[in-house]
Amino acid sequence: MRFSALEILKQGLTGNKGWTPHWRDPAPKSDYDVIIIGGGGHGLSTAYYLAKNHGITNVAVLEKGYIGSGNVGRNTTIVRANYGLPGNSEFYSHSLKLWEGLEPDLNYNVMHSQRGIINLFHSDGQRDAFVRRGNAMRNQGDDAELLSRDDLRKMVPYLNFDNARFPVRGGLMQRRGGTARHDAVVWGYARGADQRGVDIIQNCEVTGIDIENGVVKGVQTTRGAIRAKKVGIVVAGRSSQVAAMAGMRLPIESHILQAFVTEGIKPAIDHVISFGMGHFYISQSDKGGLVFGGDLDFYASYAQRGNLPMAEHVMEAGMALMPAIGKAKVLRSWGGIMDMTPDGSPIIDKTHIDGLFLDAGWCYGGFKAVPGSGYSFAHLMATGNHHEPAARFRLDRFKTGVGLMDEEGTGSQHNLH
Ligand SMILES: Cc1cc2nc3c(=O)[nH]c(=O)nc-3n(C[C@H](O)[C@H](O)[C@H](O)COP(=O)(O)OP(=O)(O)OC[C@H]3O[C@@H](n4cnc5c(N)ncnc54)[C@H](O)[C@@H]3O)c2cc1C
């Protein structure tokens, strides 16, 4: 079923009884050409582009819970392409272009909203770093704009400009940045993949990876063994655990990132704002809730929930940036498991096992990468060649030290990425 204004009208006039399920609920077959482990944003977009771009449709996405139950349904939905270093720049630039055509491509409203993202700076040194970053973005062909303090006073008057410790001096804005509705992205890709013949199999946990003589043969699951010629591991925070099933030890630590949402209030924040000093970012959802987050919890964990010290830290940063936020009541908070790499950049690569591929290490920035990651990973799995915009996301850079992309210059400090 295609969505259109006419269809909405027709359904509205006939009691909304004719809508069909967005995707089927098939039982797993015994054999597939490709198995994708993980029904998050990246797994589903990989399956979609395998089918759409490469005509590979005998594909199963195996998800241990329900699709979207992982990070893709838990993030603060910021979409941007404001990276500074080669490797990341071209990849996120490509991904943002895919976002811009995503709704017609999927025939699905993912509520992509290019409301602009503003990264605030608070010191001369930070301004210089942002100028360099802005120039790199423009060289890449993306938009970047340096805003003065006066510009910001007009655009975002609710900020505390004269905070004694972190006065707001200006900002770097990307107008094409913004947000999207995370669940809708999951559903849109799932529907698009299903329509092309992909089996989306929920409540199916992968418990083992079958390998014979260095070649992948399939997987063991809670719903039985399934054979496949190619297997992609796309499980974000669980990457180290699933790769261990194939005897691999990944350069990834899993950490918790929390997010918070307030009660709905009248429209107040019409951009995405990121506090350059406090690692705090905020936007307002279409329902009116202020959606915000901050740093990682400072210890490795597979718990899908955070702890109170970081909640306090995030609230403090919010109060320092915009004291009025103290009047809003926090309605909910939650956590997701982040797959942190030592250089803060991802991995899209083959492994040493023939037919086994890895898409991981998205840290806390992988929502905006959903289209680009799926596109590039599908290309790699289908053709065996790296897709140019993601060609530098190699696994062996952590072994050789060559080609590391330390975007923030923070080195291998998990809590400073
Ligand atoms: C609080 C928070 C805020 C964030 N904010 C942003 C943001 O503003 N912008 C941004 O770009 N990014 C953000 N991120 C990061 C982004 O959400 C992730 O990088 C991205 O969603 C990870 O990829 P994914 O969608 O494929 O992961 P997931 O949705 O986690 O998908 C992985 C799936 O694999 C499944 N799985 C795991 N093990 C198995 C198994 N053995 N068998 C079968 N299935 C398995 C899991 O159940 C899960 O559904 C944020 C994340 C969090 C938690």
Side-chain angles (χ1 to χ4, degrees), residues 306-336:
N307 237 321
L308 288 175
M310 187 48 66
E312 187 179 10
H313 179 77
V314 173
M315 303 300 159
E316 279 172 2
M319 288 295 288
L321 181 66
M322 40 183 302
I325 198 177
K327 291 191 177 164
K329 292 190 179 60
V330 173
L331 211 57
R332 285 181 287 123
S333 70
W334 60 89

